[in-house]
Amino acid sequence: MDVTKAVIPAAGFGTRFLPVTKAQPKEMMPVLDRPTIQYVVEEAVEAGIDDILIITGRGKQAIERHFDKSYELEEALEKDGKIDRLDRVQEIADLADIHYVRQKERDGLGDAVMYARKHVGDQPFALLLGDTIIESDTTCTESLISAAEEHESSVLSLERVPWEDVPSYGVADLGGEESTGGSFPVEDFVEKPPQEEAPSNLAITGRYVLTPEIFDRLEQTERGVGGELQLTDAIRELEDVRGVELKGDRYDIGNIPSWLQANIEMALKHDDGEMNEAVEALLQEQVE
Ligand code: UTP
């Protein structure tokens, strides 16, 4: 089993971020110097994938423009001798072969994934949510691909979240077994359980490797929460699903507090000389 393609759904409305997202895709929200979706594409590329399908929708043209070549800008930067910046702009367009398909209506993550069927065909594929940045030493997608290739099964990234946060997530049921350092079998998933009924605090994080069997399962899946086609409902019907515990930091930039957190933590973490010093000084000022 060889994972060579990635799918990035980016067709949501981003209502938790309105009005910013009225005319601009949530996935284009900047975190430091890059739009969120660029980090996601870079993660896929680092995992060895160079064929990426982005699921877009109405009002998402900025995503396509971002990954396009920008001849005028490149010419101007070259003329002005701004070679560093020119390199950074050119790198974006050269990252991977990026394809697009439009989800006709925002109808749930499961529905968005269905649009990948033609492009993906009969192959397993990586799925990365376009509004979630994951930073880890070995990319999360790379760890999932290794486990999927080893066990010939679908694999999800799972993160231990505080128990009180469990009702906001889909969580894994390991059937009474413990998670291990590598990948481990998952018996079932429960969507947004009350804390006292949750089978674990291992939450689905927005990174998956799925076998093509998922498309048939999605076709047979009834609409779930919110009247939408839920990906988790279809994953529950897969033959064989494994989990890998995330080792790293996850930032879901879908709401303002966690978007701010992503900017602050990443600015402090990335040793970019002046920038992290400036942010540290700024925060110091606020607490004094
Ligand atoms: P969310 O669940 O955060 O939904 O989607 P949303 O519509 O973007 O945001 P809110 O809840 O209205 O604030 C998670 C990811 O799945 C994509 C989104 O673009 C996001 O990257 N998605 C979601 C789709 O592509 N299509 C859908 O129908 C739903």
Side-chain angles (χ1 to χ4, degrees):
M1 167 167 162
D2 222 3
V3 182
T4 60
K5 291 182 180 172
V7 175
I8 303 179
F13 284 152
T15 52
R16 286 167 294 164
F17 233 129
L18 281 168
V20 191
T21 45
K22 185 162 174 268
Q24 135 161 288
K26 168 172 73 168
E27 295 76 10
M28 287 298 290
M29 289 298 295
V31 173
L32 306 182
D33 63 347
R34 278 166 242 191
T36 299
I37 196 163
Q38 188 179 330
Y39 291 94
V40 181
V41 167
E42 285 169 352
E43 180 185 329
V45 170
E46 261 186 66
I49 287 172
D50 62 0
D51 180 324
I52 295 173
L53 177 72
I54 301 183
I55 319 279
T56 67
R58 264 191 87 234
K60 299 278 183 170
Q61 295 85 341
I63 297 179
E64 296 179 34
R65 283 202 298 274
H66 181 71
F67 292 106
D68 261 356
K69 249 188 144 20
S70 178
Y71 293 102
E72 263 179 36
L73 177 63
E74 287 178 26
E75 217 175 278
L77 290 172
E78 193 166 6
K79 205 167 110 221
D80 294 346
K82 295 179 176 160
I83 302 305
D84 255 21
R85 288 179 201 181
L86 174 65
D87 287 349
R88 289 173 69 188
V89 165
Q90 283 174 334
E91 272 165 23
I92 301 169
D94 293 338
L95 275 172
D97 283 342
I98 303 188
H99 309 265
Y100 300 91
V101 60
R102 285 168 76 100
Q103 184 183 17
K104 290 200 181 76
E105 262 178 72
R106 189 207 175 285
D107 205 8
L109 185 55
D111 180 71
V113 171
M114 276 301 272
Y115 282 83
R117 188 171 205 165
K118 257 199 197 144
H119 187 82
V120 163
D122 205 14
Q123 298 292 318
F125 61 99
L127 178 71
L128 299 86
L129 296 194
D131 64 350
T132 302
I133 299 173
I134 296 190
E135 293 216 308
S136 51
D137 292 339
T138 305
T139 66
C140 179
T141 296
E142 216 171 324
S143 316
L144 297 186
I145 291 176
S146 308
E149 290 181 345
E150 186 185 343
H151 295 278
E152 308 243 319
S153 74
S154 294
V155 184
L156 272 65
S157 161
L158 301 170
E159 184 186 32
R160 288 220 178 262
V161 296
W163 280 95
E164 61 273 22
D165 295 347
V166 153
S168 329
Y169 289 95
V171 297
D173 180 350
L174 307 191
E177 299 294 317
E178 290 294 312
S179 62
T180 59
S183 74
F184 44 85
V186 178
E187 205 155 271
D188 202 0
F189 290 94
V190 189
E191 195 56 42
K192 303 190 170 67
Q195 190 178 326
E196 52 291 352
E197 285 169 29
S200 78
N201 63 340
L202 281 169
I204 301 178
T205 65
R207 296 292 186 267
Y208 316 69
V209 169
L210 297 170
T211 54
E213 184 198 346
I214 192 69
F215 297 119
D216 284 343
R217 298 290 162 264
L218 277 166
E219 233 164 38
Q220 293 150 1
T221 300
E222 309 256 312
R223 266 145 216 294
V225 181
E228 293 180 353
L229 196 54
Q230 299 291 346
L231 179 65
T232 312
D233 291 342
I235 290 177
R236 294 182 67 194
E237 301 304 323
L238 289 175
E239 286 279 303
D240 213 1
V241 182
R242 301 183 73 83
V244 167
E245 221 177 293
L246 173 68
K247 294 180 198 80
D249 297 319
R250 178 177 59 91
Y251 305 104
D252 164 4
I253 59 91
N255 58 71
I256 293 170
S258 52
W259 171 73
L260 275 173
Q261 184 193 358
N263 274 284
I264 293 168
E265 284 191 21
M266 285 169 67
L268 294 176
K269 241 188 318 183
H270 291 256
D271 194 13
D272 283 352
E274 280 170 31
M275 186 188 55
N276 76 0
E277 276 168 32
V279 174
E280 212 171 307
L282 196 85
L283 290 173
Q284 202 67 44
E285 248 172 59
Q286 294 301 314
V287 290
E288 273 164 12

